[in-house]
Amino acid sequence: AQKITQTQPGMFVQEKEAVTLDCTYDTSDPSYGLFWYKQPSSGEMIFLIYQGSYDQQNATEGRYSLNFQKARKSANLVISASQLGDSAMYFCAMREGAGGFKTIFGAGTRLFVKA
Amino acid sequence: EPEVTQTPSHQVTQMGQEVILRCVPISNHLYFYWYRQILGQKVEFLVSFYNNEISEKSEIFDDQFSVERPDGSNFTLKIRSTKLEDSAMYFCASRRPEAYEQYFGPGTRLTVT
């Protein structure tokens, strides 16, 4: 069963505007963590932000914030003030269990930032 | 800033041949991972490694795959007899024991002909 769902295969946003990339997940483990990674056209995977299931506050890292809604099992990424360099593939991922060894990725959302 | 490195960046091999993909994780990281990404598809977990042993592996990681930490710095993925469907980008990642975020290497593109 797919455990990470990203329903937006592609998104467009105007430069300097904010954009939300959706991610829902499914797990029965009370201890888990959620990640967002960026993959530019060059192919590398860049860590953006992490949210633990027990974290009380939404994670933020610069222009990135994670809108964590535990009851709805969603972990949307919000990018504020989009820049042309934000154009990339974005993956939501989840680790399960306290050990956190296995990480499952969603199918990704391709973001296009328009000038 | 320290980073994960991988060699080679691109490997072409014939079906049935053995390949070894190499990774140098960040020096104070103790958890190591291999992932693969078939072109245009999502990133798939292969295996995690901690304390010199496999901690978890996926159904993809069958008997054709093995991992090793031959010394204090390298972490390798071996595919014993490559198949056409092994063609993919292979990413190594590592993380510190006190954090969950994984840092990825630039990947090795494996092409099996």
Side-chain angles (χ1 to χ4, degrees):
Chain A
Q2 190 164 349
K3 293 190 174 184
I4 294 284
T5 303
Q6 294 181 254
T7 57
Q8 306 153 313
M11 288 278 287
F12 286 87
V13 66
Q14 197 69 41
E15 194 180 9
K16 298 179 187 173
E17 291 186 350
V19 63
T20 298
L21 306 184
D22 294 342
C23 173
T24 57
Y25 61 91
D26 184 32
T27 181
S28 56
D29 197 316
S31 176
Y32 57 92
L34 297 148
F35 307 83
W36 279 91
Y37 285 87
K38 173 184 178 182
Q39 187 176 44
S41 56
S42 51
E44 73 267 35
M45 295 285 288
I46 302 167
F47 166 74
L48 296 178
I49 197 166
Y50 171 78
Q51 178 88 41
S53 58
Y54 295 119
D55 294 343
Q56 294 296 311
Q57 294 192 321
N58 286 346
T60 60
E61 289 285 348
R63 294 187 298 112
Y64 305 106
S65 59
L66 200 151
N67 184 1
F68 181 46
Q69 298 190 39
K70 199 168 181 176
R72 299 177 67 178
K73 294 189 174 179
S74 75
N76 298 339
L77 177 71
V78 180
I79 306 174
S80 62
S82 297
Q83 302 171 356
L84 294 178
D86 294 334
S87 293
M89 194 73 160
Y90 289 81
F91 291 99
C92 179
M94 179 176 69
R95 62 135 190 105
E96 289 181 303
F101 295 117
K102 184 174 183 176
T103 303
I104 302 165
F105 283 75
T109 294
R110 185 165 295 282
L111 179 67
F112 301 91
V113 181
K114 300 182 289 184
Chain B
E1 186 173 322
E3 55 186 25
V4 178
T5 59
Q6 290 184 244
T7 54
S9 56
H10 191 188
Q11 171 102 41
V12 182
T13 189
Q14 289 192 322
M15 195 168 53
Q17 295 295 304
E18 174 184 287
V19 293
I20 298 176
L21 309 184
R22 291 182 166 79
C23 168
V24 179
I26 296 173
S27 62
N28 63 342
H29 289 193
L30 299 181
Y31 292 82
F32 313 119
Y33 305 81
W34 283 102
Y35 294 87
R36 79 173 185 191
Q37 186 180 30
I38 295 169
L39 187 64
Q41 299 187 24
K42 64 178 168 183
V43 178
E44 299 174 292
F45 169 81
L46 292 179
V47 66
S48 60
F49 191 87
Y50 171 70
N51 202 25
N52 284 319
E53 59 183 25
I54 291 173
S55 44
E56 193 155 0
K57 60 183 180 179
S58 72
E59 56 277 6
I60 301 168
F61 195 88
D62 61 20
D63 293 344
Q64 292 301 309
F65 291 87
S66 62
V67 288
E68 194 178 30
R69 187 153 164 82
D71 53 45
S73 58
N74 290 283
F75 179 51
T76 62
L77 174 70
K78 182 193 289 186
I79 309 175
R80 289 190 181 82
S81 178
T82 50
K83 308 183 192 72
L84 293 176
E85 54 265 36
D86 292 328
S87 294
M89 181 73 94
Y90 287 80
F91 290 103
C92 173
S94 67
R95 72 170 174 95
R96 293 175 292 141
E98 67 274 17
Y100 284 110
E101 61 268 24
Q102 297 172 29
Y103 291 89
F104 282 69
T108 292
R109 180 165 296 286
L110 177 65
T111 303
V112 183
T113 61

